[in-house]
Amino acid sequence: MLAYKELQDILATTLKWEQAMLELYQVAELGVKKEDAAKTISFLMENHTAQMDVLKNIKIENYGPTEWVKFSADLHEDDIVPKKTIKRDSTSQEICSAILEYEKNLRNFYQMVTDHLNTEQQKELFQSLVVFKENQIEKIQNCLKTHS
């Protein structure tokens, strides 16, 4: 089913989901027990925080017309945020796996948005988010390989 969304609304939803991702990183930073895994989580959280600062300051009107965008699948937070919960006794593997799932869901969401945008500037904006997520995913996967 196709839905139509205002680009500003898509960005607002993005910020909400990225804030939830930041909270997951904060919990992970406290919960990861292995030192090098904790360093990786801290590094990823710093990158994520910097990216959030950029997102918060985006003036969407600078990226072309902010008309309604044809957008597939009316996604809700339940579709993006992993169902897994991180508990006090979660292992580093479990924590990193939950973060990885969330990052992949966000990357897929950004790619879907990119595929439906009208202007090149808008596409470049959301494609930059895809690339950022791909970098985060790669670092998490490397961390998981190191600790498996």
Side-chain angles (χ1 to χ4, degrees):
M1 177 167 146
L2 289 178
Y4 288 83
K5 298 269 186 193
E6 179 72 39
L7 192 56
Q8 187 63 47
D9 293 338
I10 294 171
L11 190 59
T13 299
T14 296
L15 280 168
K16 184 175 79 172
W17 289 341
E18 290 292 354
Q19 181 61 41
M21 182 77 242
L22 179 61
E23 291 166 10
L24 185 57
Y25 276 122
Q26 291 166 337
V27 169
E29 187 176 43
L30 296 173
V32 172
K33 292 159 186 65
K34 294 182 180 177
E35 186 179 333
D36 44 343
K39 286 180 183 177
T40 300
I41 295 297
S42 291
F43 174 76
L44 291 167
M45 189 168 72
E46 286 174 23
N47 285 351
H48 188 83
T49 302
Q51 184 72 17
M52 289 236 358
D53 290 342
V54 170
L55 280 173
K56 287 176 186 175
N57 292 311
I58 288 175
K59 297 201 181 336
I60 205 68
E61 61 273 6
N62 294 343
Y63 292 87
T66 59
E67 302 160 358
W68 294 91
V69 176
K70 184 168 58 170
F71 188 78
S72 65
D74 191 17
L75 293 176
H76 301 283
E77 191 167 337
D78 292 345
D79 300 319
I80 301 293
V81 179
K83 309 288 185 273
K84 299 175 186 171
T85 56
I86 297 176
K87 299 177 214 135
R88 189 173 296 234
D89 61 344
S90 294
T91 66
S92 295
Q93 279 297 104
E94 292 168 333
I95 292 168
C96 288
S97 292
I99 291 172
L100 180 63
E101 181 183 344
Y102 196 169
E103 289 286 19
K104 284 180 175 181
N105 290 346
L106 285 169
R107 181 213 40 216
N108 294 343
F109 171 75
Y110 293 145
Q111 187 60 59
M112 183 174 50
V113 172
T114 301
D115 293 343
H116 290 90
L117 290 172
N118 298 320
T119 72
E120 225 24 69
Q121 288 178 307
Q122 293 169 353
K123 287 180 187 234
E124 287 174 11
L125 171 64
F126 278 87
Q127 188 58 41
S128 72
L129 295 172
V130 171
V131 170
F132 173 70
K133 291 299 170 187
E134 287 174 348
N135 290 333
Q136 294 284 87
I137 289 166
E138 181 181 348
K139 287 176 178 64
I140 296 164
Q141 288 172 329
N142 288 340
C143 183
L144 282 168
K145 286 178 192 170
T146 303
H147 300 291
S148 59

